[in-house]
Amino acid sequence: MPRPLWAGAISFGLVTIPVKIVSATEDHDVHFHRVHLTDMGRVRTRKVCELDGEVLSQDEIGKGYEIAKDQTVPVTDEELEQMPLPTAKAIEIAAFVDADSIDPVRISDSYYLAADGQVAAKPYTLLRKALERSSKVAVAKWAWHGRERLGLLRIREGAIVLHSMKWPDEVRSPDELAPREVEVGEEEIEQALQLAERMTIADLSGFHDEYREALEGIIAAKAEGKPLPSPAEGGEKEKGEVVDLMAALNASVKAAKESRGDDGEDATVHEMRPSKKTTRKAPAKKTAASKKSTASKKPAKKTAAKKRSAS
């Protein structure tokens, strides 16, 4: 089991469940050191007092809050731990809500709650089964790392998961980011839905971090004195304006079908009808058709010319 990050209890009405918080995720990122390029010596960040210029150790550093210019109030960890909060050492369940009502934007870090000792086994199982048989999730509050947090409890594979959540006033409104209203035809929507259907998968287990793998390949090659891996061909896609959205959707559906080995019927292609204000050129097929019709008219003019020359 990973090292516990916090120990306390879940407060569920009159029920108390001793638990420990353990991280639900792992960091697999490749981390670099800052080095002096000449001799590869480590470059570290020194913690220096700006008043006397002395380099300080971690034991000499504490917390302070600036209440006015040149006036800072020190706050100790002991004072923070002794704050009169009911959530200081407890994850207090405040309410239950429908799972579908939670905006995913508000969910932050995730943790597992492990039962702390045999005394916690029965109440832990009770809460787990209650959440499993319900379509609801528990909303809770707890204090951690110097602040009170809002959390969400749900079940994952038999374990209670605690999701740290943003407070309502911490989520920005997307109103100013929304694009202007534009008309989207039903044919385009249907084609987009067909594309989504072609790209639907059962789970996300097949995804992996290709960037990290490539980075590890570069590091291994440099460590062994070997040539660096060649860049992947076709890695960059050409940038360009999508003129015909329907054609792009049709092409995407076809590509998705081919990648999955689907031999079903081809998607129906519907021509987009440009508005009267549109000045873009006609598609290539229409241009060819117009040339053919123009060519069919030219022989009549040549015949008339021959008659005049004969007379």
Side-chain angles (χ1 to χ4, degrees), residues 2-283:
R3 181 176 61 85
L5 306 174
W6 179 94
I10 300 175
S11 176
F12 177 31
L14 298 178
V15 178
T16 299
I17 311 172
V19 293
K20 295 179 179 179
I21 291 179
V22 297
S23 180
T25 59
E26 294 179 325
D27 180 13
H28 290 167
D29 288 347
V30 176
H31 298 278
F32 295 102
H33 293 311
R34 292 183 300 173
V35 297
H36 183 198
L37 293 177
T38 302
D39 53 16
M40 291 295 111
R42 288 283 300 274
V43 177
R44 302 180 185 272
T45 300
R46 298 195 306 167
K47 298 175 181 179
V48 180
C49 176
E50 64 180 20
L51 296 180
D52 55 26
E54 291 187 6
V55 178
L56 305 178
S57 65
Q58 188 60 41
D59 296 337
E60 299 175 283
I61 300 174
K63 296 180 177 68
Y65 184 82
E66 186 178 28
I67 58 177
K69 188 174 181 180
D70 299 328
Q71 186 178 3
T72 301
V73 176
V75 180
T76 66
D77 293 335
E78 291 75 13
E79 290 169 338
L80 294 175
E81 291 177 358
Q82 295 173 5
M83 285 192 303
L85 281 176
T87 57
K89 293 297 290 184
I91 301 171
E92 183 180 11
I93 295 179
F96 289 83
V97 297
D98 291 332
D100 295 339
S101 67
I102 300 298
D103 185 353
V105 172
R106 297 183 60 181
I107 296 179
S108 184
D109 297 327
S110 300
Y111 307 92
Y112 288 130
L113 295 183
D116 191 3
Q118 187 59 34
V119 68
K122 187 169 182 177
Y124 186 99
T125 304
L126 173 64
L127 178 59
R128 187 198 73 197
K129 289 186 176 295
L131 289 173
E132 283 177 338
R133 297 186 185 184
S134 171
S135 61
K136 302 183 184 302
V137 291
V139 178
K141 296 197 300 181
W142 89 102
W144 195 21
H145 290 179
R147 55 174 293 195
E148 188 173 51
R149 300 171 184 267
L150 188 65
L152 183 72
L153 300 182
R154 69 176 185 88
I155 305 303
R156 182 179 188 271
E157 298 180 2
I160 300 177
V161 181
L162 170 65
H163 298 290
S164 178
M165 295 181 64
K166 299 291 186 183
W167 295 94
D169 60 356
E170 292 180 319
V171 179
R172 294 173 177 169
S173 173
D175 291 344
E176 61 184 21
L177 305 177
R180 60 181 179 81
E181 288 293 330
V182 295
E183 284 192 16
V184 178
E186 286 297 322
E187 295 175 353
E188 295 168 301
I189 297 175
E190 287 297 325
Q191 203 66 347
L193 290 174
Q194 187 175 356
L195 174 59
E197 184 65 27
R198 297 284 187 183
M199 297 179 65
T200 299
I201 59 177
D203 58 69
L204 303 180
S205 60
F207 284 87
H208 59 281
D209 190 346
E210 297 182 19
Y211 179 86
R212 176 173 59 86
E213 292 176 355
L215 184 56
E216 290 173 345
I218 291 176
I219 294 173
K222 298 196 73 171
E224 297 172 6
K226 297 179 180 180
L228 297 183
S230 302
E233 297 183 2
E236 295 186 5
K237 296 182 180 179
E238 294 183 1
K239 297 181 179 179
E241 182 181 357
V242 178
V243 178
D244 192 334
L245 179 60
M246 205 64 189
L249 286 171
N250 282 332
S252 299
V253 170
K254 182 179 179 181
K257 183 182 66 174
E258 291 175 351
S259 66
R260 300 185 64 175
D262 191 350
D263 296 329
E265 294 182 359
D266 290 340
T268 303
V269 179
H270 300 278
E271 291 284 349
M272 287 185 64
R273 297 179 180 178
S275 60
K276 294 181 180 180
K277 295 181 180 180
T278 303
T279 58
R280 66 173 184 241
K281 296 180 180 180

